Amino acid sequence: MRFISSPQIFSGKEFLAPGTVLVLDEKNIICDIISSQEVEKNLIEYFNGIICPGFVNSHCHLELSHLNGMISKHTGIVNFGLDIIKYRNQASHELQLEMMQQADKEMNLQGIVAIGDISNNTNSIKVKEQSSLYYHTFLELIGLNPDRADSVFQGGQELLIEFKRSELPASLAPHAPYSASLPLIEKIFTNCNIYNLPTSIHNQESEAENEFFNSKTGDYLKLYDILGISLNFFKPTFKNSLQSIGSIFNPKVRTLLVHNTFTNEQDIRFIKNRHSELFWCLCPNANLYIENKLPDFNLLNINLCELTLGTDSLASNTQLSIIAEINLILQSLPNYSLESILKSATYNGAKFLGIEQEYGQLKKGKNSGINLIEGSIGDFSVKKLA
Ligand SMILES: [Zn+2]
């Protein structure tokens, strides 16, 4: 039995009363949450920092771990995407596996306990089967041509079967507004609704995405030209991307909008009016890496968007660390509420994944990981206590 305490204990939703003590059994399960007066002082292990549940990384691409350090910074999303296509299959299967295992270990050391992970194939199954971390895999589907919706969806269902066979939680997810047709997005939402599973979509990661939808101009024309894909079927909507596709989302499906770097207030109001199960994922280090621009944290906050945090992949980040994402946000906004950023890093991500009874909160009877956050605001580090 261990009794642990610190000046600040964050439950996943709020700070607990000063003097709170967590009682852990030998398996790190919280057997009780008590006041320091209920236990002999010399039995309590005191830590200097903030104790909180294990972190939830709600957006990662484990499959891209071998691209660590290979993609140039600040080249914009289109060049980034082309580099990924160019390099992702160059490494051997063994190297890809080894780099995924290393990334899984790194996340564990960084106090991450659960991950929403994007996959385009079955390469990560072995790592996920062997990992002590919880993974929900989003099988990401790509197909902008509406005529291909059925065959792309069929391919996604085949991938789903492989993950189910390995007893790994998984659901389908459209890649992004500029790479998934409306019929494909609709099929994915229908499927997630039937099985009560969450989905995820990259949203407004670049200005070019809005430009593509508003006027069928900009960098995405270059991308599709290089890829040799005709865009004859695509018509501009004269609206931003989120407003162009958001009405097709099934509002009963928990949906993660990832990045939101170029999302404006009108976009937020539009989607919030239609959809109550929305979560907004921030991956600020990846945004700096690719576009050298941060999302408007204040705008999302003022509009009461339920925020989660993600690392994105090692192709667009130098580390897979939620505390590094927290630090970057606090460096640009030192007065940002600590309570709300810690909630984004724990409870909100767990709620999105549908695992909030097991992860994201300090709860009696559960082992959701226990982190100790040390250091000063904007320069935090994390240590695993349990
Ligand atoms: Zn991503």
Side-chain angles (χ1 to χ4, degrees):
M1 204 80 98
R2 284 175 81 188
F3 298 89
I4 65 170
S5 189
S6 76
Q8 287 178 293
I9 300 183
F10 183 75
S11 72
K13 291 180 178 172
E14 66 207 342
F15 281 106
L16 301 178
T20 297
V21 174
L22 304 179
V23 187
L24 306 182
D25 72 7
E26 62 285 352
K27 286 182 177 155
N28 289 325
I29 292 170
I30 299 177
C31 25
D32 212 350
I33 301 174
I34 58 173
S35 152
S36 56
Q37 279 140 15
E38 297 173 58
V39 59
E40 268 183 59
K41 282 254 168 337
N42 59 358
L43 290 176
I44 303 173
E45 297 173 60
Y46 281 105
F47 295 93
N48 195 13
I50 306 166
I51 285 177
C52 72
F55 294 139
V56 178
N57 178 2
S58 57
H59 184 73
C60 185
H61 302 240
L62 200 64
E63 260 170 30
L64 303 180
S65 299
H66 62 289
L67 299 180
N68 191 1
M70 286 180 69
I71 314 285
S72 308
K73 287 182 182 175
H74 308 160
T75 61
I77 187 68
V78 168
N79 291 320
F80 176 82
L82 288 169
D83 275 352
I84 297 281
I85 294 167
K86 187 168 149 194
Y87 294 120
R88 74 176 294 168
N89 293 321
Q90 281 188 6
S92 68
H93 190 70
E94 290 71 32
L95 181 68
Q96 292 190 34
L97 200 63
E98 194 186 321
M99 297 312 274
M100 283 190 272
Q101 277 160 342
Q102 210 170 296
D104 174 74
K105 262 190 209 148
E106 181 190 340
M107 285 197 273
N108 191 2
L109 282 172
Q110 287 292 325
I112 293 167
V113 292
I115 299 124
D117 188 59
I118 305 281
S119 294
N120 300 98
N121 54 50
T122 55
N123 289 357
S124 62
I125 285 183
K126 199 171 166 195
V127 183
K128 289 168 180 169
E129 278 177 331
Q130 292 169 350
S131 176
S132 60
L133 308 181
Y134 176 92
Y135 282 92
H136 179 102
T137 301
F138 292 101
L139 292 158
E140 182 178 77
L141 304 186
I142 297 175
L144 185 60
N145 189 335
D147 292 344
R148 292 192 53 234
D150 283 336
S151 65
V152 173
F153 182 76
Q154 181 59 35
Q157 283 194 308
E158 284 161 22
L159 286 173
L160 259 185
I161 290 168
E162 294 298 317
F163 278 78
K164 276 191 186 146
R165 193 173 286 154
S166 300
E167 295 180 13
L168 293 167
S171 54
L172 301 176
H175 169 255
Y178 62 83
S179 59
S181 65
L182 290 181
L184 178 60
I185 295 174
E186 199 171 17
K187 278 172 174 294
I188 293 171
F189 271 92
T190 303
N191 185 270
C192 290
N193 186 37
I194 292 169
Y195 298 104
N196 187 28
L197 290 167
T199 193
S200 158
I201 183 166
H202 294 88
N203 177 53
Q204 294 171 303
E205 192 173 355
S206 69
E207 191 62 73
E209 182 176 318
N210 286 331
E211 201 183 338
F212 183 61
F213 278 86
N214 271 296
S215 56
K216 201 184 174 180
T217 57
D219 274 0
Y220 281 110
L221 298 191
K222 180 183 137 194
L223 175 77
Y224 284 112
D225 185 40
I226 293 171
L227 296 176
I229 295 170
S230 155
L231 290 176
N232 288 340
F233 58 86
F234 184 82
K235 302 271 178 293
T237 59
F238 311 103
K239 291 183 235 166
N240 277 352
S241 58
L242 187 58
Q243 295 188 49
S244 305
I245 63 156
S247 47
I248 211 92
F249 293 0
N250 185 322
K252 290 184 214 139
V253 175
R254 296 191 305 284
T255 304
L256 190 70
L257 299 173
V258 181
H259 292 305
N260 315 301
T261 330
F262 294 85
T263 303
N264 66 29
E265 191 150 23
Q266 238 189 348
D267 299 330
I268 297 173
R269 291 216 178 119
F270 168 87
I271 197 73
K272 284 198 77 163
N273 277 338
R274 284 165 176 76
H275 204 302
S276 56
E277 297 290 326
L278 273 185
F279 296 82
W280 304 73
C281 180
L282 303 176
C283 308
N285 274 300
N287 302 143
L288 283 190
Y289 195 106
I290 300 173
E291 296 283 337
N292 202 19
K293 167 128 177 19
L294 291 173
D296 191 338
F297 306 126
N298 271 332
L299 180 71
L300 294 163
N301 249 332
I302 295 164
N303 286 283
L304 307 176
C305 297
E306 216 159 338
L307 300 178
T308 72
L309 298 180
T311 58
D312 217 342
S313 75
L314 284 170
S316 61
N317 205 334
T318 55
Q319 54 184 332
L320 301 180
S321 161
I322 289 298
I323 203 72
E325 305 300 326
I326 292 175
N327 281 335
L328 179 56
I329 293 170
L330 292 176
Q331 281 156 17
S332 62
L333 282 173
N335 294 323
Y336 198 96
S337 147
L338 203 50
E339 198 162 61
S340 64
I341 203 161
L342 290 177
K343 194 174 170 213
S344 307
T346 55
Y347 180 75
N348 287 356
K351 190 174 158 206
F352 160 63
L353 292 174
I355 52 170
E356 72 274 24
Q357 297 309 323
E358 304 297 323
Y359 296 97
Q361 343 184 32
L362 300 175
K363 239 180 145 202
K364 261 201 244 182
K366 302 290 174 184
N367 171 5
S368 56
I370 294 180
N371 288 342
L372 176 69
I373 299 174
E374 297 172 297
S376 52
I377 288 189
D379 192 26
F380 285 137
S381 62
V382 68
K383 199 188 272 175
K384 275 165 65 100
L385 291 185

